Amino acid sequence: MKKFNSFLIFAVITALFFLTQSCKKNVDDPTPNQSEQGFETLQVPENFNWLTSTPLKIDLKFVDQNQDAVVTSFEVYSKFPDGVKFMTGTSKSDGSFAKMYQIANYRSSFFVVIPGQDPVEVVFGETEVNEISAYEAKATITVVNPSLKSVAAETYEYYPAEGKYGSLCFEDNWPSEADYDFNDVVIDYNVIATLNDDFLVTKINMQLFLRASGANNHNGFGISFKHSWSNDGPYPDIATVTVNGTPVTAEATDYPSFIIIEDIETWQPTYNSFMNQAFVAPTEFNVEIVLNTPASNWWELSLPLQNPFIIVDQERGREIHLPWHLPTSLADPSYVGKGVDASDPYAFDPGNFKAGNMVIGYYTYMTEEGFPWAMDIYMDSDDEDLFLYPVEFTDIANAYTSFEGWVEESDPWEWYLPEYRVVDSIYSKIPTPPYGE
């Protein structure tokens, strides 16, 4: 549903750049699933963003039965009871609670829960935020017994939801053509943001699990902050970044970037993409980001994940980001337009993005047809635990029956849920029990 204001320069130069080796590991026995249809038959709409989540503008007002403002704490769920929790909150002195959040595309409402009274369902409308399409949750909620309401000093936001995990899925052969099984790197994430009483983020905790490495390359994984508040280091806004308790130093980039996993092969030497092989338990990485300067969750921090990327085979300049996301200033612009890449060269010139400049909405990391090298699957389902990616060599459009409908018609939004899986085409082995249980 989102639309981006962007300009697009197609710079496709074919047959000039080929990798010297395949990104895939050589494994005996399994053969690719064959289909007459697949990713490359898709007709991608202009400005399609490949996201399975959407900005949500929250505008709540808490009042008593006389319509006077009430300060109260509350929780927000997908449904109640038996739903997943999205956040905790506290209204301000004027009874307001206004902020941005990120929610799965298929959601149409949430429930506000105040202890001691019935939950209130808030149905989403549609709006625009800075010309970006978004959902809006707007309601006035009556607090039945204001004298009994407590107020929390800190509140929390959960992405995709408390105890739920999104999945970052990468192809690692940019700028060359991908095979679209999206299992070269798979990292599951749950993010918790801690907010102060001004609704500003003071700390971010990311629980990451490296679940698959279906590639030959020694790839790395990092995140990059991308907004003007953090431009031109040494980034006083960020106090510390640690991974499993070990401090991580910011790279020498115009916007701060941090390498979270130096070499994925060190932690995931096997693949978790061939069903005939033993499943290897994912490796956990606990990332904590503490801010000196509290920041807004959406405008400045772009929660949940900042700007995640992989580094291909330890070649620092060869980054792969989600589509429409900027590279870091260490990215090598010579890759732009090679192979099947059609990224806008403007986005690869760091000088174009100094403080105050817009840093989203540029055509990056996509082919001329609009095909990406990375996807973010925002799995916040009440019942399902993890996104199941395709087995090796299987096109994701063949592994999910409604993938094409999502891309071409935005229907269904929830194409990645179990009812749309092609059982023989997805890698069904997951941790038992799932993370956090």
Side-chain angles (χ1 to χ4, degrees):
M1 65 176 277
K2 289 198 256 181
K3 298 293 183 184
F4 288 84
N5 283 343
S6 61
F7 61 90
L8 170 60
I9 301 174
F10 287 133
V12 180
I13 304 173
T14 59
L16 293 181
F17 181 84
F18 294 92
L19 297 181
T20 59
Q21 62 178 18
S22 167
C23 75
K24 293 301 172 188
K25 294 178 175 174
N26 296 319
V27 177
D28 295 331
D29 188 27
T31 57
N33 291 345
Q34 301 298 317
S35 174
E36 295 180 0
Q37 302 296 318
F39 206 95
E40 293 186 342
T41 68
L42 298 174
Q43 301 297 311
V44 182
E46 184 180 3
N47 290 335
F48 186 71
N49 62 25
W50 297 100
L51 291 177
T52 56
S53 62
T54 293
L56 174 64
K57 181 182 179 181
I58 301 174
D59 184 6
L60 302 179
K61 180 82 171 180
F62 294 86
V63 298
D64 62 18
Q65 293 175 335
N66 295 319
Q67 298 301 299
D68 294 325
V70 172
V71 177
T72 185
S73 295
F74 58 92
E75 297 179 334
V76 177
Y77 290 82
S78 60
K79 59 183 179 181
F80 195 84
D82 303 325
V84 295
K85 185 192 296 185
F86 295 132
M87 68 184 71
T88 65
T90 298
S91 58
K92 290 189 172 183
S93 59
D94 62 357
S96 67
F97 181 82
K99 64 189 331 298
M100 295 296 298
Y101 184 66
Q102 196 79 7
I103 201 160
N105 286 336
Y106 70 90
R107 295 289 184 186
S108 59
S109 67
F110 62 41
F111 286 78
V112 177
V113 178
I114 300 172
Q117 67 182 67
D118 292 337
V120 176
E121 182 178 15
V122 180
V123 177
F124 302 158
E126 294 189 358
T127 188
E128 285 193 351
V129 179
N130 276 20
E131 300 185 8
I132 297 175
S133 296
Y135 293 154
E136 182 178 37
K138 186 173 184 177
T140 298
I141 298 173
T142 301
V143 181
V144 176
N145 192 343
S147 64
L148 298 180
K149 306 311 168 191
S150 62
V151 177
E154 289 185 334
T155 57
Y156 304 93
E157 295 173 350
Y158 306 97
Y159 299 89
E162 185 179 36
K164 295 295 180 178
Y165 292 80
S167 297
L168 292 169
C169 304
F170 291 90
E171 292 285 325
D172 76 343
N173 53 345
W174 179 82
S176 293
E177 186 176 4
D179 64 3
Y180 303 115
D181 57 14
F182 287 96
N183 63 26
D184 292 350
V185 176
V186 177
I187 294 176
D188 301 321
Y189 66 87
N190 176 268
V191 177
I192 302 174
T194 302
L195 293 86
N196 62 19
D197 55 7
D198 289 323
F199 303 163
L200 296 177
V201 178
T202 60
K203 183 175 67 173
I204 305 165
N205 290 95
M206 301 179 177
Q207 188 182 35
L208 309 177
F209 286 90
L210 174 60
R211 186 159 43 120
S213 178
N216 277 325
N217 295 323
H218 290 262
N219 300 319
F221 173 75
I223 57 174
S224 173
F225 295 83
K226 62 181 182 179
H227 284 274
S228 56
W229 69 283
S230 59
N231 187 69
D232 293 333
Y235 324 120
D237 306 285
I238 302 172
T240 58
V241 176
T242 59
V243 179
N244 293 338
T246 300
V248 178
T249 302
E251 294 187 293
T253 48
D254 285 357
Y255 290 86
S257 58
F258 298 86
I259 303 304
I260 305 303
I261 309 174
E262 292 281 353
D263 184 356
I264 285 169
E265 289 283 298
T266 301
W267 305 98
Q268 179 62 277
T270 56
Y271 327 131
N272 281 354
S273 59
F274 291 93
M275 287 300 293
N276 67 333
Q277 294 183 327
F279 176 73
V280 178
T283 302
E284 182 176 0
F285 298 87
N286 286 303
V287 181
E288 183 174 83
I289 302 168
V290 178
L291 303 179
N292 278 323
T293 305
S296 69
N297 63 337
W298 198 71
W299 295 112
E300 295 174 324
L301 291 175
S302 295
L303 289 178
L305 281 168
Q306 321 312 315
N307 181 1
F309 62 96
I310 63 171
I311 298 169
V312 179
D313 210 20
Q314 302 299 297
E315 184 181 346
R316 182 59 192 86
R318 195 170 162 211
E319 302 174 1
I320 300 177
H321 294 248
L322 293 166
W324 301 100
H325 284 59
L326 284 185
T328 76
S329 57
L330 295 180
D332 184 351
S334 69
Y335 281 111
V336 175
K338 301 292 180 63
V340 296
D341 176 65
S343 295
D344 185 345
Y346 185 91
F348 284 74
D349 181 353
N352 293 326
F353 302 101
K354 293 302 181 182
N357 288 3
M358 181 64 71
V359 293
I360 59 174
Y362 295 93
Y363 197 97
T364 57
Y365 296 100
M366 287 179 284
T367 68
E368 183 174 3
E369 297 81 10
F371 304 152
W373 279 267
M375 295 179 64
D376 178 7
I377 313 301
Y378 207 68
M379 178 67 86
D380 73 345
S381 170
D382 303 324
D383 303 314
E384 290 299 309
D385 295 305
L386 296 173
F387 169 67
L388 300 187
Y389 50 82
V391 294
E392 198 66 63
F393 305 120
T394 297
D395 189 314
I396 195 171
N398 297 328
Y400 283 86
T401 60
S402 292
F403 187 86
E404 179 181 354
W406 169 62
V407 173
E408 297 186 352
E409 305 292 339
S410 295
D411 183 27
W413 289 116
E414 67 278 19
W415 61 268
Y416 47 87
L417 295 183
E419 54 265 38
Y420 304 113
R421 293 171 185 161
V422 178
V423 175
D424 293 338
S425 296
I426 51 99
Y427 186 81
S428 58
K429 298 179 181 180
I430 61 173
T432 304
Y435 316 135
E437 291 192 1

